[in-house]
Amino acid sequence: MAMTTGTSAHAVNEVHDWSYAEAAAQALGQAMAEDARVVVLGEDVGRGGIFGQYQGLQQRFGAQRVIDTPISEAAIMGAGVGMALAGLKPVVEMRVVDFALCGMDELVNQAAKNRFMFGGQGRVPLVARMPGGIWDASAAQHSQSLEAWFAHLPGVVVVCPSTPQDNHALLRAALDCGDPVVYIEHKTLWGQRGAVDPQLAVPLGRAAHRRHGDALTMVSWSRQVQVCEAACARLAAAGVAVDLIDLRTLWPWDRETVLDSCGRTGRLLVVHEAVQAAGFGAEIAATAAEATGCRIARLGAPRIPVGYAPVLEAQSRVGAEAIEAAALLLVG
């Protein structure tokens, strides 16, 4: 389904109703059509990926560019690094971020370090797709939020899109980046639908305002933004107008937008699905405290493995009610 926007024949863009997965597949297909150096490798990519994020690409571009691999994340990541150094632009599929740990040496010690260690003579324009976050009823080894690990790693860019539009635009930006990008799509967002303008460019490192308000700054990313939006709607009904910022990119992150908002509201609540202890929210909180002196609170998951049973899994989720309560404490 598509509709058009614009006021003249020269300024009309088609806007599509795509799912989060369809938006990614369309972005990748567009990039592959424009640049023969873009290739895909990973398990199950030929049949469209386990979430449909590569649907139709092998049929369109062939098995030479959409490459099914053995079950070895170390081999997949290592081959991707080699392809990038040889001049290709590989998209490396890790299936889920939990499995990417088997390929960490290639990412941490090769991809992230090459440009620095060889004085810029080598570049690794690789996009490592690592679906993250709690996967419903999938237990501790398939429900981790590890974005802070990668934000801590010099030499990589870290992206966490929350909407179909951003998943299209940020994947295109990641492919054009020229450096290794850890691209973390949430495991439960694939079916979410939304309006997508394929011509809309979103630069890496630029946050998005999801709501505007003066009472409180709230910062989040990935699927947790949706939970924050639900909490903000409840707060608005109570007369508390929240400035909700979706970071979109964790490294580099948009300090200017966050600090401008904190300086205006005087209060900051950082919310993420990841474990609160040593989460990336701590970096945002410390930076805001040093720069603005605003009142700050953090909200993340307890430091426990995600349980399989629904009642246990719920203990690792940060719900709208908890966000609302934390915000009211800050503004009280």
Side-chain angles (χ1 to χ4, degrees), residues 127 168-178 181 183 201-204:
V127 177
H168 186 283
L170 288 171
L171 186 55
R172 290 302 310 267
L175 287 162
D176 292 336
C177 174
V181 178
Y183 197 86
V202 175
L204 299 174

Side-chain angles (χ1 to χ4, degrees), residues 71-328:
I71 304 174
S72 171
E73 285 75 16
I76 298 166
M77 186 68 75
V81 173
M83 288 177 172
L85 288 169
L88 297 178
K89 298 172 72 173
V91 176
V92 177
E93 175 59 42
M94 291 281 101
R95 286 172 65 93
V96 290
V97 71
D98 318 71
F99 300 164
L101 306 186
C102 296
M104 285 289 275
D105 179 69
E106 296 294 340
L107 177 65
V108 173
N109 285 320
Q110 305 303 328
K113 306 291 190 296
N114 191 278
R115 183 180 177 189
F116 172 77
M117 292 181 67
F118 294 98
Q121 296 178 81
R123 297 289 290 270
V124 184
L126 173 151
V127 177
R129 295 177 75 179
M130 304 181 184
I134 296 176
W135 197 1
D136 299 344
S138 297
Q141 293 179 331
H142 301 78
S143 292
Q144 296 173 91
S145 300
L146 302 177
E147 62 268 21
W149 288 26
F150 301 105
H152 186 73
L153 175 63
V156 302
V157 172
V158 184
V159 179
C160 298
S162 67
T163 67
Q165 176 65 73
D166 282 349
N167 207 20
H168 186 283
L170 288 171
L171 186 55
R172 290 302 310 267
L175 287 162
D176 292 336
C177 174
D179 285 315
V181 178
V182 173
Y183 197 86
I184 303 177
E185 294 147 295
H186 199 283
K187 296 163 188 164
T188 63
L189 287 181
W190 298 106
Q192 181 195 29
R193 305 195 71 84
V196 180
D197 178 355
Q199 303 304 315
L200 181 63
V202 175
L204 299 174
R206 183 81 55 81
H209 263 99
R210 300 303 182 193
R211 295 178 75 101
H212 293 272
D214 295 320
L216 169 77
T217 300
M218 190 180 295
V219 176
S220 193
W221 53 89
S222 192
R223 181 185 176 275
Q224 199 63 35
V225 171
Q226 298 180 2
V227 186
C228 287
E229 287 180 328
C232 289
R234 297 161 64 113
L235 289 163
V240 178
V242 174
D243 213 38
L244 177 59
I245 297 172
D246 177 356
L247 279 189
R248 303 196 289 196
T249 305
L250 292 198
W251 202 270
W253 66 281
D254 192 346
R255 290 172 174 83
E256 182 179 356
T257 294
V258 172
L259 296 181
D260 283 352
S261 178
C262 291
R264 180 166 47 82
T265 68
R267 299 173 182 87
L268 168 66
L269 177 60
V270 186
V271 184
H272 53 69
E273 185 175 300
V275 168
Q276 179 172 310
F280 191 69
E283 173 67 21
I284 300 166
T287 301
E290 291 168 350
T292 71
C294 66
R295 294 183 61 190
I296 296 172
R298 291 179 294 145
L299 199 56
R303 193 176 179 271
I304 58 174
V306 177
Y308 171 73
V311 67
L312 296 177
E313 181 182 279
Q315 298 302 308
S316 291
R317 293 189 181 275
V318 181
E321 296 85 356
I323 299 169
E324 180 188 16
L328 290 173

Side-chain angles (χ1 to χ4, degrees), residues 42-49 54 58-59 66-68:
E43 302 162 32
D44 298 310
V45 294
R47 65 179 179 91
Y54 299 99
Q58 191 177 77
Q59 292 83 352
V66 182
I67 306 163
D68 285 305

